[in-house]
Amino acid sequence: MSVSVRSVLAQNDQRIRLLEAHDHNSIEAIRDGISNDGQSFQGIWISGLTQTTYLGLPDTELISPLRRACLIVSSDNPQEKNLRPLCAVYDADSGGDVADIPQLVASLENRGVSMIIIEDKSVFEPGNKVNSLGDTSGLQGQADMYAFANTIRSFRSAAAQTEMMITARIESFTVRAVKKTEAEEKASIQGALREALKRAKVYRRAGADAIMIHSKSASPDEVLSFIRKFRSSDTSTPLVVVPTTYSKTTEDVLYDAGANIIIYANHLMRAKIGAIAEFSDKYLAQKPDLFAQDAELSACLKARNFGCLLRKLDERSYLDEDAKWYRLVAEERAIDNMSVVVKCLLDGKRSGGADTRIVSVKELLKINARQICVVE
């Protein structure tokens, strides 16, 4: 059962946390996770980075937001009636083709999603997007803010008769290039802050229900500066943050500054890959040819994309006994580690709370960059 982000915010004093999910097991780990002080995640984040990793595709908008939406796993479980409900938020990249927006919104609503986040990057063609946390994110550039405002209007119009919230994701900090001198760097950050605040006003006037501010800095200063400036003139619009890189910053620091939604954006895919990698390396040292006759499975192994590998193993109609055992143990290790990571994040109350149990973001980006599957 899913619930709306609006209702969950209202029930939790306008402060909620979400965690990335990419399959049924990750969703159930989130649903079941409880911290030592009784805290839990209120919903799931359907990440473009981890969903494309799961699909064996790079996170470049090679596959459209609409096509990805049709492939997401629902947070509902029709076999069980009394499950804790979760809200769901969808990473829609740059929004995709304007003509697809009505169908995209309808498709997501049917799957229990109640917030769509679209980013203001300039993506001119499929495969052109650069991940915000990548080393080359400064080469991407932002979309024209007024053209992007029109995209927001199209989403808002398509969602007019629904509870769907449309969130504008501002990339002013992630697309800027790091400067050589301290003075130049300070001026660049201040310029990005002014640009982000200007865009936030334009996007709100265009109908955005919430604003997400993104940063790839190891310090929270960029995000905190934006939140405080924004809150000086707007005390009610929900603000979304994703503390992947400023991972030592606690939730309370972000909430107290004025954030409403904290997203732990890629942790369960990183947990799955880390757990399976450790087992796989030991097992395949004894049976190096286990998947040698299957080109797709071999490609997953070569890329160390154990998220896609486990999905592909589940799809195979026939596996020999060794492969079946590999799949069974890999899935058990993944489930166990994801469950532990959920609790570590809840107890630590910061994005870096489970770093010892998961692969790094840099490693995930490296894995994701290697295309395994074809776009259908």
Side-chain angles (χ1 to χ4, degrees), residues 13 18 84 96 123 182 198 253 273 282 349 373:
D13 197 27
L18 311 175
R84 183 171 71 88
V123 180
E182 184 178 346
K198 181 167 64 174
V253 169
I273 289 172
K282 292 177 181 178
K349 294 180 171 54
C373 302

Side-chain angles (χ1 to χ4, degrees), residues 85-97:
L86 299 169
C87 63
V89 178
Y90 182 71
D91 176 2
D93 290 331
S94 66
D97 192 320

Side-chain angles (χ1 to χ4, degrees), residues 279 283-284 287 289-291 313 316-330:
F279 152 71
Y283 187 67
L284 294 181
K287 297 181 179 292
D289 298 326
L290 181 60
F291 302 125
L313 285 170
R316 294 297 187 263
S317 58
Y318 173 79
L319 293 172
D320 64 28
E321 292 305 310
D322 287 337
K324 286 179 181 178
W325 191 82
Y326 178 101
R327 180 181 64 184
L328 177 65
V329 176

Side-chain angles (χ1 to χ4, degrees), residues 50-63:
T50 65
Q51 190 187 13
T52 52
T53 301
Y54 184 70
L55 295 172
L57 299 170
D59 181 29
T60 60
E61 273 192 59
L62 193 62
I63 181 173

Side-chain angles (χ1 to χ4, degrees), residues 164-189:
M164 187 75 74
M165 295 179 70
I166 307 302
T167 299
R169 169 172 158 176
I170 299 176
E171 298 285 342
S172 302
F173 290 123
T174 67
V175 300
R176 72 172 193 86
V178 176
K179 304 304 179 184
K180 294 181 179 179
T181 71
E182 184 178 346
E184 289 175 330
E185 178 70 353
K186 185 177 180 179
S188 176
I189 293 172

Side-chain angles (χ1 to χ4, degrees), residues 121-122 130-142 171-179 216:
K121 287 181 185 169
S122 54
V130 178
N131 186 279
S132 301
L133 303 181
D135 292 338
T136 59
S137 65
L139 302 177
Q140 180 79 78
Q142 278 180 290
E171 298 285 342
S172 302
F173 290 123
T174 67
V175 300
R176 72 172 193 86
V178 176
K179 304 304 179 184
K216 59 187 287 186

Side-chain angles (χ1 to χ4, degrees), residues 22-23 51-57 67 71 269 272 276 291 294-301 305-319 323-324 326-328 330-331 371-376:
H22 53 273
D23 64 3
Q51 190 187 13
T52 52
T53 301
Y54 184 70
L55 295 172
L57 299 170
R67 178 62 181 145
L71 297 173
M269 179 58 76
K272 173 180 282 187
I276 297 177
F291 302 125
D294 190 312
E296 205 167 41
L297 298 182
S298 295
C300 290
L301 280 176
N305 188 340
F306 297 106
C308 185
L309 175 65
L310 197 55
R311 179 178 70 86
K312 287 296 179 182
L313 285 170
D314 286 339
E315 291 176 355
R316 294 297 187 263
S317 58
Y318 173 79
L319 293 172
K324 286 179 181 178
Y326 178 101
R327 180 181 64 184
L328 177 65
E331 185 170 45
Q371 184 173 347
I372 297 165
C373 302
V374 297
V375 179
E376 299 177 357

Side-chain angles (χ1 to χ4, degrees), residues 80-286:
E80 299 188 48
K81 300 296 184 182
N82 298 313
L83 296 175
R84 183 171 71 88
L86 299 169
C87 63
V89 178
Y90 182 71
D91 176 2
D93 290 331
S94 66
D97 192 320
V98 173
D100 288 346
I101 291 174
Q103 187 179 352
L104 173 58
V105 172
S107 178
L108 290 170
E109 186 190 16
N110 288 338
R111 287 167 170 78
V113 172
S114 56
M115 177 183 278
I116 300 172
I117 298 184
I118 49 175
E119 60 188 48
D120 64 352
K121 287 181 185 169
S122 54
V123 180
F124 297 108
E125 58 186 17
N128 182 250
K129 192 195 86 166
V130 178
N131 186 279
S132 301
L133 303 181
D135 292 338
T136 59
S137 65
L139 302 177
Q140 180 79 78
Q142 278 180 290
D144 175 85
M145 75 172 77
Y146 300 106
F148 188 74
N150 285 333
T151 299
I152 293 170
R153 291 186 182 96
S154 296
F155 272 94
R156 186 66 269 149
S157 176
Q161 304 303 316
T162 73
E163 282 199 89
M164 187 75 74
M165 295 179 70
I166 307 302
T167 299
R169 169 172 158 176
I170 299 176
E171 298 285 342
S172 302
F173 290 123
T174 67
V175 300
R176 72 172 193 86
V178 176
K179 304 304 179 184
K180 294 181 179 179
T181 71
E182 184 178 346
E184 289 175 330
E185 178 70 353
K186 185 177 180 179
S188 176
I189 293 172
Q190 288 301 309
L193 174 60
R194 289 191 295 272
E195 177 69 12
L197 290 166
K198 181 167 64 174
R199 284 174 176 264
K201 289 182 179 180
V202 171
Y203 300 162
R204 279 290 291 129
R205 287 197 296 268
D209 300 293
I211 298 292
M212 174 181 154
I213 185 63
H214 207 12
S215 170
K216 59 187 287 186
S217 173
S219 164
D221 291 350
E222 292 177 350
V223 167
L224 293 175
S225 295
F226 174 88
I227 294 174
R228 288 164 182 153
K229 288 279 189 182
F230 184 88
R231 284 288 179 238
S232 68
S233 60
D234 185 330
T235 59
S236 60
T237 298
L239 291 178
V240 184
V241 296
V242 183
T244 304
T245 54
Y246 46 103
S247 59
K248 295 180 181 180
T249 307
T250 63
E251 292 177 353
D252 284 345
V253 169
L254 299 168
Y255 285 139
D256 290 346
N260 304 97
I261 301 174
I262 298 176
I263 298 177
Y264 294 82
N266 41 53
H267 294 65
L268 294 192
M269 179 58 76
R270 292 160 64 192
K272 173 180 282 187
I273 289 172
I276 297 177
E278 183 178 0
F279 152 71
S280 184
D281 290 345
K282 292 177 181 178
Y283 187 67
L284 294 181
Q286 303 169 24

